[in-house]
Amino acid sequence: MTTMATPTQSAPQAPAEHYNPKSESAGAKRMKSIIFHVVALGLTAVVLYPALWMVASSFKPNSEIGGATTALWSNNFSFDNFVTAMEGIGGVTTLQFFTNSLILALGAVVGTIVSASVSAYAFARIKFPGRNVFFGMMIATLLLPFHVVIIPQYIVFQQLGLVDTYIPLLIGKFLAADAFFVFLMVQFMRNLPSELDEAARIDGAGHVRIFGSIMLPLMKPALISTSIFSFIWSWNDFLAPLLYLNTPEKYPLPLALRLYQDQTQSSDYGAMIAMSVLALLPVLIFFLVFQRYIVEGVSTQGLKG
Amino acid sequence: MTQSPTLSRRSTPSAPTLRKSKQRGADARAGYTFLLPWLLGFIALTVGPMISSLYLSFTNYNLFEPPKWIGLDNYTTLFQDERFLQSVGVTVSYVVFGTPLKLAAALAVAMLLNSKRKGQGFYRSAFYAPSLIGASVSIAIVWKAIFGDAGPVDQGLSFFGINLGGWVGNPSMTMPMFVLLTVWQFGAPMVIFLAGLKQIPADLYEAASMDGAGPVRKFFNITWPMLSPVIFFNLLMETIHAFQIFASAYIISNGEGGPAGSTLFYTLYLYLRGFSDFRMGYASAMAWLLVIVVGIITLIFFRTSKSWVHYSGDAK
């Protein structure tokens, strides 16, 4: 890589504490640490500002949101915006939108967990002809822009009379259409020792047994990340509900928000921001509770936000 | 369905060869049975729709009358359609400016966080949070407010004597606004970079220090090549991802791509053509062009990656 030059022992980049434990270097280390935290905290402030602005504004009266303040603090904090936001829009309460979002998100979690784990078991643990070809195809769908399928899918569901039902939004989840989760589980299962199923086979266990009593319990970490992400992605999803739903009573929160934006424009900014906060609440709660898990899941499995 | 020990329990046959071939048959059956959900979905929701989308792209179809074959007309019309060309321009500039900036930010912050210090976990989580909510309607609404007339960004800039007015209504400022929105979500690739950085053996850096290499040399001789598979992964995924931006574009532009078409992203135009104008054939042609472009980009990435991506084993 680099030619061996005369090794200069006093190179400042070397881990200093090992071979010159002078008080000066301790001071330099401290200085470095302070600079690190100043930079990192500054960056945190910038990154979190939009979210904090959203939360702070949701408690402010309308006059202060559009007004000449960048400050987050207000002297007139109140819950008025949330009271207005909870009333909903178009004669539908926000609680109803919440329930709809919840049904869709929980449906997505259940469907994805069941279908992806079963399919992943086939890819990871069973040898059958065509497996590698199918696996390649599944990987290819990871890169495929889904816009190429939405129009025919819409036409089919429309002809089946399923538009304005939750079926088009959920059926893909029960058919492992999110190839990403299948892939994630395949990778996870491949790392489990093969002695496990060999031993079980010698004992006469079949695939159903091996899958149910050996694989599933061991796959807990993968199942949890899948659940978290499929919940959040479904909760935030906008395009599919926009395509398929047209009665406000069935809208999930993102569609309700759009409706709110369209109908009130900026006349009641505070309530709109409060509704945005409500719409993000489960995601934020999930994040606060599972943040370690979520962030680690991303780094080991390459998930996207 | 967890415990039922039926499906593939085998009575043990005597001859080992017979047993093997029987086992193989059982495995094949079990394999396809387990694969069934994915297989059904793949055929019904991916392959089938792709074929019919390809067919529709050669037709005129408005959902109410049967599709009418028009050959390549959709494709040739596309290239004379000014709004289409504009949507291509908007999307390409978003990808070209947004993705590298986002990845650069992600890598820089990952390197900052790679040292062992207190609070590392907190910073990682704080920086990752936007990636989780960035594509949501809520954030699009917030973005619109923050960058709107007299919004905090406008106020903040005028404090420094810069008067741009609201970014949302200014056609030349909407793209920077969207680029900032995607850069803001640098956390997801950052976390992946961090995991990659942790894999680089520390003695490489120590040896380089012994040789008197400075931080710049270390970056280009160690960090960059050792991290190249991760850089490649992030670059590919983020690029493909960026082409498909929809919700924020829809909300910020009120579903119209304004002002002056400056936020008419490709997928937004596809949506408008297909689901507002009911020109399903035309929209299908757009979808196929997107597939082709993404396919070509993926191919180029993989081809060129051989010259700069080093997988462990062929390095050194």
Side-chain angles (χ1 to χ4, degrees), chain A residues 1-8 11 13-15 29 32-33 36-37 39-41 43-44 46-51 53-54 66-70 115 118-119 121-123 126-130 134 137-138 141 143-155 157-159 171-172 174-177 182 201 204 206-209 211-213 216 229 232 236 238-239 242-243 254 257-258 261-262 265 269 272-273 276 279-280 283-284 287 291-292 294-296 298-299 302-305, chain B residues 1-5 7-9 23 27-28 30-35 37-42 45-46 49-50 52-53 56 61 63-64 109 112-113 115 117-119 121-133 135-139 141-146 150 152 155-156 184 186 188-189 191-192 195 204 206 208-215 217-218 221-222 233-234 236-238 240-241 244 246-247 250-251 254 267 270-271 274-275 280 283-284 287-288 290-291 294 298:
Chain A
M1 195 174 306
T2 41
T3 47
M4 266 291 199
T6 43
T8 42
Q13 296 90 347
K29 225 182 128 192
K32 262 190 168 175
S33 169
F36 165 82
H37 282 290
V39 173
L41 278 174
L43 208 57
T44 309
V46 174
V47 167
L48 293 188
Y49 179 80
W53 182 89
M54 170 169 73
T69 43
T70 46
S115 64
V118 170
S119 311
Y121 179 76
F123 280 130
I126 309 178
K127 279 204 184 90
F128 59 91
F134 285 130
M137 287 174 173
M138 188 202 63
T141 59
L143 302 171
L144 186 78
F146 63 95
H147 300 87
V148 73
V149 296
I150 56 175
I151 288 170
Q153 280 184 7
Y154 180 84
I155 295 168
F157 287 123
Q158 199 249 359
Q159 280 165 356
I171 193 158
F174 284 86
L175 295 179
V182 181
R201 271 186 181 223
H207 285 295
V208 174
R209 187 82 184 263
F211 172 71
S213 6
L216 272 188
F229 277 96
I232 292 175
N236 283 337
F238 177 67
L239 179 56
L242 179 69
L243 289 180
L257 261 175
R258 184 206 61 143
Q261 192 205 21
D262 283 358
Q265 267 312 324
Y269 234 41
M272 190 160 83
I273 302 282
S276 304
L280 273 187
V283 178
L284 293 175
F287 184 69
Q291 42 152 319
R292 248 222 130 75
I294 291 174
V295 173
E296 247 136 56
V298 175
S299 62
L303 285 160
K304 300 274 111 182
Chain B
M1 65 166 289
T2 40
Q3 297 280 329
S4 65
L7 187 67
S8 52
R9 171 176 277 181
Q23 182 62 50
D27 274 348
Y32 286 111
T33 312
F34 272 88
L35 202 61
W38 178 82
L39 214 52
L40 280 177
F42 184 65
L45 300 173
T46 306
M50 276 181 79
S52 49
S53 164
L56 285 175
Y61 183 47
L63 214 56
F64 310 110
V109 179
L112 180 76
L113 292 191
S115 49
R117 287 183 204 281
K118 270 186 192 162
F122 166 76
Y123 294 127
R124 275 197 315 173
S125 293
F127 297 152
Y128 180 72
S131 299
L132 215 50
I133 57 176
S136 68
V137 170
S138 298
I139 288 302
I141 283 174
V142 166
W143 220 252
K144 199 175 173 181
I146 288 183
Q155 295 298 324
W184 181 60
F186 69 84
V191 172
I192 298 171
L204 284 182
E206 275 162 32
S209 292
M210 294 290 208
D211 291 352
R217 288 255 317 261
K218 280 189 202 164
N221 287 336
I222 303 174
F233 172 82
N234 272 338
L236 182 65
M237 294 316 276
E238 292 294 338
I240 292 174
H241 208 65
Q244 302 179 35
F246 180 77
Y250 185 98
I251 294 298
N254 291 328
T267 53
L270 191 158
Y271 169 83
F275 296 94
M280 296 289 185
S284 298
W288 268 97
L290 184 64
V291 170
V294 167
T298 309

Side-chain angles (χ1 to χ4, degrees), chain B residues 216-237:
Chain B
V216 177
R217 288 255 317 261
K218 280 189 202 164
F219 178 77
F220 284 108
N221 287 336
I222 303 174
T223 312
W224 186 271
M226 293 296 283
L227 204 59
S228 55
V230 182
I231 296 171
F232 177 71
F233 172 82
N234 272 338
L235 185 62
L236 182 65
M237 294 316 276

Side-chain angles (χ1 to χ4, degrees), chain B residues 12-90:
Chain B
T12 32
S14 46
T17 44
L18 181 69
R19 180 180 168 170
K20 250 189 184 161
S21 70
K22 255 198 160 175
Q23 182 62 50
R24 214 174 287 150
D27 274 348
R29 244 171 296 139
Y32 286 111
T33 312
F34 272 88
L35 202 61
L36 205 59
W38 178 82
L39 214 52
L40 280 177
F42 184 65
I43 293 164
L45 300 173
T46 306
V47 176
M50 276 181 79
I51 294 167
S52 49
S53 164
L54 188 61
Y55 164 72
L56 285 175
S57 76
F58 299 112
T59 67
N60 247 340
Y61 183 47
N62 63 5
L63 214 56
F64 310 110
E65 297 152 40
K68 205 176 122 224
W69 184 268
I70 53 166
L72 283 170
D73 278 9
N74 284 329
Y75 291 93
T76 49
T77 319
L78 272 172
F79 289 98
Q80 291 147 20
D81 176 351
E82 274 175 32
R83 296 195 77 205
F84 167 78
L85 296 173
Q86 188 168 26
S87 77
V88 171
V90 167

Side-chain angles (χ1 to χ4, degrees), chain B residues 155-178:
Chain B
Q155 295 298 324
L157 287 176
S158 65
F159 179 79
F160 296 103
I162 304 166
N163 280 308
L164 292 168
W167 296 31
V168 181
N170 181 349
S172 55
M173 291 311 288
T174 49
M175 187 47 66
M177 177 176 73
F178 274 96

